[in-house]
């Protein structure tokens, strides 16, 4: 490192600091590091500034300038181009630093990051995860499982639940599976459906009612709900089925009819096999209606499970169940947070 000179330069922006470097050290300066600092007396006048540490190899710089060269013009041009690129990369890095704090991550962590991205975990969420995790997959799984909140069936058993969500996600099928689970625990179930139009739903519930020997009522208007609920609440687990095409109207209606709060849990059912953008759009439409819990369906049709993590974090709601196929009553599972973390990282 003979003849190497190192100095710190401060500027209001990264660009200013770089200009100061260039002015004193010339175009061959090497940037060693840069950081955000506070300028002003004692660093308390909180104008932020950028400090760049630069180095120049003086021996090399002088040889280059004095060396006669036959390819002077083109090599100068290349050098100029390279310097421009170097400046630009430095500038880009600096601009990206607040958004991508972990530009300097280890190789192992980069592997974990890529794994999360392949599984469909949101980039921002993946960055935070690898920051919190150590360099190995077990640690990453542990961090994910800490974030996954599982509610399970107890709140459903206690009072009951209303299933809402877009058409065809599996509300009716899931309700029937849960009715079986609750009855297996020797607790009474009563089913109400707001989907009274479709022959298929009516036929489905006739069968379920006969199998479980539980009452199934079909009601036309949600204004009929308070009477039924207040009579039965606490005595049986009340499961309410809704048609997907009316979700918003039903949720809005419940707020009007039960101004001091709906007495059952509201469960938003999400199809795991659809993409994150669509899921989030559907969620945003319903979020304002005070959803309590989420349930994931059609895990058997999904090819990656990063979305389980994205949706759990973004909705901030605990998970009640996940369904793994169309068959009643077996294709349902109350997952543990460790199980979900395993899915999120692709079953590794
Ligand atoms: N593969 C698979 N299919 C499922 C699962 N859950 C439900 N289904 C199927 O998805 C289709 C729609 O299910 P439904 O229970 O009728 O859906 P829904 O949400 O009640 O639909 P709407 O009442 O129209 O809003 C049916 O063919 C179900 O058999 C699952 O976990 N895996
Ligand atoms: Mg249905």
């Amino acid at each position: 490192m003979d003849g190497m000179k190192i100095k710190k330069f401060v500027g209001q922006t990264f660009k200013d600091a770089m200009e100061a470097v260039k002015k004193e050290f010339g175009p061959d300066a090497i940037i060693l590091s840069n950081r955000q600092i506070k300028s002003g007396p004692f660093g308390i006048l909180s104008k932020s500034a950028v400090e760049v540490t630069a180095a120049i190899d003086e021996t090399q710089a002088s040889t280059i300038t004095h060396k006669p060269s036959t390819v002077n013009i083109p090599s100068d041009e290349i050098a100029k181009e390279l310097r421009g690129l170097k400046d630009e990369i430095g500038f880009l890095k600096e601009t990206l630093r607040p958004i991508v704090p972990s530009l300097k991550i280890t190789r192992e962590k980069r592997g974990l990051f890529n794994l999360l991205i392949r599984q469909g975990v949101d980039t921002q969420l993946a960055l935070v995860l690898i920051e919190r995790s150590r360099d190995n997959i077990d640690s990453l799984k542990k961090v994910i499982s800490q974030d996954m909140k599982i509610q399970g069936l107890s709140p459903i058993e206690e009072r009951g639940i209303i299933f809402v969500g877009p058409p065809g996600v599996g509300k009716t099928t899931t309700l029937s599976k849960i009715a079986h689970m609750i009855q297996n625990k020797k607790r009474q179930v009563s089913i109400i459906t707001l989907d009274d139009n479709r022959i298929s739903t009516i036929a489905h519930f006739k069968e379920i009612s006969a199998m479980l020997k539980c009452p199934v009522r079909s009601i036309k208007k949600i204004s009929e709900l308070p009477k039924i609920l207040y009579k039965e609440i606490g005595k049986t687990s009340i499961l309410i089925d809704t048609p997907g095409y009316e979700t918003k109207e039903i949720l809005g209606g419940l707020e009007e009819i039960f101004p001091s709060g709906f007495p059952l849990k509201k469960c938003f059912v999400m199809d795991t096999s659809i993409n994150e953008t669509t899921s989030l759009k559907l969620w945003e439409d319903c979020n304002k209606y005070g959803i309590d819990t989420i349930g994931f369906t059609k895990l058997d049709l999904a090819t990656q499970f990063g979305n389980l993590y994205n949706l759990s974090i973004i909705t901030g709601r605990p998970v009640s169940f996940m369904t793994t196929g169309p068959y009643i009553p077996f294709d349902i599972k109350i997952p543990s947070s460790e199980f979900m973390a395993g899915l999120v990282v692709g079953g590794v």
Side-chain angles (χ1 to χ4, degrees):
M1 284 289 203
D2 258 0
M4 184 70 91
K5 199 171 156 193
I6 297 174
K7 192 179 167 183
K8 291 186 190 322
F9 295 84
V10 177
Q12 247 177 22
T13 64
F14 181 71
K15 227 174 149 203
D16 293 341
M18 284 301 289
E19 265 159 26
V21 172
K22 247 195 242 168
K23 209 168 155 197
E24 187 164 337
F25 277 3
D28 296 309
I30 301 160
I31 306 305
L32 299 175
S33 68
N34 61 75
R35 64 187 185 117
Q36 205 86 24
I37 55 164
K38 300 275 179 223
S39 68
F42 316 112
I44 44 171
L45 256 182
S46 52
K47 253 213 148 177
S48 73
V50 177
E51 180 193 87
V52 170
T53 308
I56 181 83
D57 184 347
E58 287 184 317
T59 43
Q60 196 195 36
S62 53
T63 9
I64 288 172
T65 30
H66 296 123
K67 202 185 195 174
S69 169
T70 44
V71 281
N72 217 359
I73 299 163
S75 74
D76 262 9
E77 264 172 27
I78 291 169
K80 203 173 148 199
E81 191 76 8
L82 279 175
R83 275 196 303 276
L85 281 172
K86 213 167 81 179
D87 281 1
E88 202 145 330
I89 290 171
F91 179 69
L92 276 174
K93 264 191 163 172
E94 195 51 32
T95 327
L96 277 173
R97 201 173 297 280
I99 318 164
V100 191
S102 23
L103 276 174
K104 281 184 192 158
I105 56 174
T106 61
R107 226 166 68 116
E108 289 77 15
K109 282 207 174 180
R110 230 168 332 186
L112 295 177
F113 176 75
N114 288 338
L115 171 79
L116 290 173
I117 299 301
R118 273 202 306 278
Q119 295 305 319
V121 174
D122 203 82
T123 314
Q124 288 300 314
L125 296 178
L127 278 169
V128 176
L129 276 176
I130 59 156
E131 255 183 22
R132 288 165 56 207
S133 159
R134 286 176 207 270
D135 277 3
N136 59 68
I137 187 86
D138 286 334
S139 164
L140 178 65
K141 271 202 268 192
K142 201 162 166 213
V143 174
I144 295 175
S145 71
Q146 283 163 359
D147 289 347
M148 302 300 268
K149 303 277 174 279
I150 310 293
Q151 184 158 70
L153 283 191
S154 38
I156 306 180
E157 284 166 30
E158 231 169 75
R159 291 187 152 199
I161 197 161
I162 183 166
F163 294 89
V164 294
V169 287
K171 299 177 293 297
T172 307
T173 314
T174 306
L175 182 150
S176 309
K177 293 171 186 172
I178 288 180
H180 273 86
M181 286 176 99
I182 295 176
Q183 273 222 338
N184 281 343
K185 293 188 175 181
K186 306 275 176 276
R187 209 187 136 80
Q188 270 207 317
V189 176
S190 94
I191 296 172
I192 299 170
T193 177
L194 286 162
D195 189 359
D196 69 328
N197 283 324
R198 286 181 298 179
I199 304 271
S200 59
T201 310
I202 295 167
H204 175 91
F205 278 126
K206 247 192 184 155
E207 203 177 306
I208 297 292
S209 169
M211 211 189 293
L212 293 177
K213 300 192 176 48
C214 75
V216 176
R217 273 156 298 185
S218 154
I219 61 171
K220 286 200 169 9
K221 294 191 296 272
I222 47 172
S223 54
E224 297 171 45
L225 268 181
K227 209 172 135 195
I228 306 177
L229 293 195
Y230 290 129
K231 211 160 132 193
E232 295 185 2
I233 212 152
K235 299 190 188 90
T236 68
S237 306
I238 305 166
L239 307 180
I240 307 180
D241 179 46
T242 64
Y245 55 86
E246 269 181 29
T247 302
K248 276 199 269 183
E249 290 75 4
I250 290 172
L251 285 170
L254 288 180
E255 286 196 334
E256 271 174 42
I257 295 165
F258 296 90
S260 43
F262 186 59
L264 310 185
K265 296 283 178 200
K266 295 178 197 158
C267 175
F268 188 75
V269 183
M270 291 191 181
D271 180 343
T272 317
S273 65
I274 65 174
N275 69 42
E276 188 195 359
T277 321
T278 316
S279 301
L280 285 178
K281 171 80 190 62
L282 295 165
W283 165 254
E284 274 163 27
D285 287 345
C286 294
N287 184 14
K288 58 175 179 281
Y289 298 108
I291 304 290
D292 299 293
T293 161
I294 52 179
F296 291 111
T297 59
K298 308 197 186 185
L299 261 83
D300 55 313
L301 300 180
T303 50
Q304 53 177 28
F305 299 99
N307 241 347
L308 294 177
Y309 184 76
N310 301 339
L311 297 171
S312 296
I313 298 298
I314 293 168
T315 64
R317 300 303 194 279
V319 177
S320 282
F321 56 81
M322 49 176 54
T323 77
T324 51
Y327 300 108
I328 304 168
F330 301 111
D331 291 343
I332 187 163
K333 185 175 170 68
I334 312 298
S336 65
S337 47
E338 289 76 22
F339 179 83
M340 289 195 74
L343 284 177
V344 171
V345 298
V348 209

